[in-house]
Amino acid sequence: MLPAVHVGLNLVYLVPDETGGRETYARCLIPRLAALGLRLTSFLNREAARDTSGPWHEAGEVVLVPASGRSRAQWAAGEQLLLPRLAANAGVEVLHSLANFAPAWGPFARVVTVHDLLYARHPEFLSPLMRAGTRTLLPLGVRRSDRVVAVSAASRDELTRLLGVPDDRIDVVPNGVELDPPQPTGEDELRSRLGLDRRRFALSVATHLPHKNLSALVDAAAAASPDARPLYVIAGSGTDEDGALAERARALGVEDHVRVLGRVSAADLEGLYRAAACLVVPSLYEGFGFPPVEAMARGVPVACADIPALREVAANAAVYFDPRWPEAIARAVGTLLADDDRRTRLSDAGPIRAQAFTWSAAARATVASYERALDQRRGRAFR
């Protein structure tokens, strides 16, 4: 371990309550790194600096990078031009960039966590400006980093195949699952307030982004037999902002079988997990997949897209479907809900599988990556 080493955390990307899984990664990993005795300094944009509840404020020093995380241009400029100088002035020995992008220079060892290569695998899901910026900055940061952390073997393989990163520079460090959830909202209150009636429902938890493929759940509801349609409950940041999912449900005549909740509180989310008959994950692409692990840890049966990262995460604790076919989603969810024995088997298998994913293990493996970065930079091992 490296208790005397000064580690900087690049959080210039993080806008509280808006950054999805990469925010979860930071919020859960940072306290575990602090618990290992590292000296931590977090470099925050304006939005994150204002969020005094963030664990970065308790984990060590904080330094403001005068940029907005909501502006891609300011974020990039702050990360590439301001952050290296601020980190050097703070005496950082290792700078860990937690979300794909990293500065290309600085007199310290550099580690970057790459969650996915969405821009390369599915460029159609990004705006032309975002696609061009990512194509330039992400590979640059990866090439200039001493170590690259991949959150799954699937992501590691893509880094090697698509960016040419040697295997021996990549550390696979899976994400964890939070094992101390908040007190859940009671099921009766939740169903009444959110209009869920007493039906069994399939829960989806995702930020409303194109590759999350949430519209396929609405189409799956329409594809199911009218006398056997489950209720699909879709929760997550942005899912209700433009009304597109609800409008699609109305157009297909399944508005009574789809509830679009938007972002929900932590207590409500915990209540939804406990009340759900299953979790459904229709993503076209993932680098890891937090919701399946969260559901498995709680014994909630999982039906998810048959894509490499989700296969890796859920293994034999899920049923799989082709996310491009709403009929396949409807069939997988319908079969799961109708088969009590299968649901029981998955409920039993999920917590066992989820034990493979802990934030404490992720923190220890991340520190090992810091050690390797320092070893490469300094030419000697740290013990």
Side-chain angles (χ1 to χ4, degrees), residues 276-280 295-296 299-303 317-318 336 342-344 346-347:
C278 71
L279 178 82
V280 57
M296 289 190 300
V300 180
V302 174
L336 182 56
R342 174 174 275 190
R343 282 204 319 281
T344 298
L346 293 180
S347 293

Side-chain angles (χ1 to χ4, degrees), residues 124-146:
E124 70 275 15
F125 293 149
L126 301 179
S127 69
L129 183 60
M130 182 63 180
R131 189 162 60 240
T134 303
R135 188 182 292 128
T136 299
L137 293 176
L138 190 151
L140 176 64
V142 166
R143 285 197 304 271
R144 297 289 181 86
S145 293
D146 298 286

Side-chain angles (χ1 to χ4, degrees), residues 74-75 113 129 156 288 326:
Q74 287 192 38
W75 166 12
T113 295
L129 183 60
R156 176 201 60 202
F288 180 75

Side-chain angles (χ1 to χ4, degrees), residues 6-231:
H6 187 182
V7 176
L9 301 173
N10 172 10
L11 302 176
V12 181
Y13 72 95
L14 197 154
V15 179
D17 298 328
E18 296 180 21
T19 321
R22 296 169 198 184
E23 179 177 351
T24 301
Y25 178 71
R27 286 185 179 275
C28 294
L29 182 65
I30 289 172
R32 274 71 176 194
L33 292 174
L36 293 176
L38 297 174
R39 179 187 173 192
L40 300 177
T41 296
S42 297
F43 295 88
L44 310 175
N45 61 39
R46 294 190 185 99
E47 292 85 1
R50 287 195 293 266
D51 179 15
T52 57
S53 69
W56 37 86
H57 287 284
E58 299 177 1
E61 303 169 66
V62 298
V63 173
L64 174 66
V65 180
S68 170
R70 292 194 177 99
S71 165
R72 299 289 184 177
Q74 287 192 38
W75 166 12
E79 189 167 64
Q80 296 299 324
L81 302 178
L82 303 178
L83 174 60
R85 186 170 291 109
L86 291 169
N89 290 343
V92 161
E93 295 170 84
V94 181
L95 181 69
H96 181 188
S97 296
L98 278 73
N100 287 9
F101 300 94
W105 63 282
F108 34 72
R110 295 192 288 277
V111 175
V112 59
T113 295
V114 176
H115 298 269
D116 58 62
L117 293 179
L118 179 66
Y119 83 97
R121 288 292 311 280
H122 290 283
E124 70 275 15
F125 293 149
L126 301 179
S127 69
L129 183 60
M130 182 63 180
R131 189 162 60 240
T134 303
R135 188 182 292 128
T136 299
L137 293 176
L138 190 151
L140 176 64
V142 166
R143 285 197 304 271
R144 297 289 181 86
S145 293
D146 298 286
R147 304 296 301 177
V148 181
V149 172
V151 295
S152 64
S155 289
R156 176 201 60 202
D157 293 346
E158 290 186 345
L159 282 163
T160 299
R161 186 175 71 254
L162 300 176
L163 295 188
V165 183
D167 276 352
D168 61 6
R169 283 187 54 225
I170 304 173
D171 300 310
V172 177
V173 182
N175 296 318
V177 61
E178 188 58 71
L179 298 178
D180 186 25
Q183 186 67 27
T185 303
E187 183 172 349
D188 289 342
E189 176 192 340
L190 199 64
R191 286 183 177 275
S192 174
R193 174 159 49 84
L194 300 180
L196 305 183
D197 56 54
R198 301 307 305 178
R199 281 183 289 171
R200 291 190 300 178
F201 64 87
L203 174 66
S204 173
V205 180
T207 302
H208 191 23
L209 297 170
H211 66 284
K212 300 297 184 179
N213 197 32
L214 296 178
S215 62
L217 297 181
V218 181
D219 296 343
S225 172
D227 60 352
R229 280 185 182 129
L231 178 64

